[in-house]
Amino acid sequence: FALVRNPNSNPTGSNTVNTNNNAGQANPGAPAGQSVTLASILDEVTSDPDQVMNCLENGQFTDKVDQQTNEGSAAGVTGTPGSFVMIDGSQGEALGGAVPYESLKTIIDQYLAEGSTSKTETLDSLPPLSDSDHVRGNSSARVVVIEYSDFDCPFCSRFHNTMNQIMDEYGD
């Protein structure tokens, strides 16, 4: 089992994340009504936040992010998270939104047991995995989840928790 994460850029260009969603409701796990700076998040998760900020500011990965955004759009991703569950390389199905753990587990279990679901199709428009993709797990696993996400997206955060559970359940 493998998870490929193709993070999109921050579409707002902002380095501040508002902890309220667009409906004015607090996002899960965030203090209501407060804003959190990207720098404060980086201070908590990396030993070198200046290096990450420098990367963001100098546009080091802009071309890669643009490429992945275009590839996701060509494959049918219209919002984040946009994911694909693939079996044996080219067959699978698209998933839109933050699919709950139990739903994703059911889909994966059916692929592992039967090799398909009622929504299985050929995913010709999805680009093949490359050495520059961020991969967790075994990239040649029978079942692979390809995820297009955005670090500013609260739904991507929810799906990240789902994927952590899936990786714990299935491993490589």
Side-chain angles (χ1 to χ4, degrees):
F1 184 82
L3 164 66
V4 180
R5 297 182 61 100
N6 290 316
N8 286 332
S9 67
N10 174 351
T12 64
S14 167
N15 286 331
T16 302
V17 177
N18 189 322
T19 59
N20 284 337
N21 65 20
N22 291 337
Q25 300 165 330
N27 288 326
Q34 297 180 2
S35 292
V36 179
T37 65
L38 180 57
S40 69
I41 294 169
L42 292 174
D43 281 337
E44 292 183 31
V45 298
T46 182
S47 61
D48 195 351
D50 291 335
Q51 182 180 9
V52 175
M53 290 303 293
N54 184 46
C55 173
L56 288 172
E57 290 168 2
N58 73 21
Q60 180 178 352
F61 294 101
T62 300
D63 290 343
K64 180 65 176 174
V65 169
D66 288 346
Q67 173 193 349
Q68 290 179 341
T69 299
N70 293 335
E71 289 172 348
S73 293
V77 175
T78 58
T80 56
S83 304
F84 300 87
V85 178
M86 296 185 68
I87 182 93
D88 297 328
S90 65
Q91 298 287 309
E93 64 189 82
L95 304 174
V99 178
Y101 168 77
E102 286 301 325
S103 299
L104 184 55
K105 181 178 180 344
T106 299
I107 293 167
I108 291 170
D109 286 345
Q110 187 171 354
Y111 274 110
L112 290 172
E114 301 171 25
S116 66
T117 72
S118 63
K119 296 181 180 181
T120 301
E121 61 184 330
T122 300
L123 298 172
D124 289 334
S125 60
L126 195 62
L129 296 179
S130 73
D131 291 338
S132 65
D133 286 320
H134 176 76
V135 176
R136 285 182 58 194
N138 179 354
S139 62
S140 1
R142 184 161 187 233
V143 174
V144 174
V145 176
I146 297 178
E147 176 188 356
Y148 290 85
S149 63
D150 184 330
F151 70 85
D152 279 343
C153 170
F155 301 104
C156 296
S157 178
R158 289 182 201 159
F159 192 65
H160 175 75
N161 292 334
T162 296
M163 287 309 307
N164 283 337
Q165 286 179 279
I166 292 292
M167 292 300 295
D168 289 344
E169 174 83 16
Y170 295 95
D172 282 350

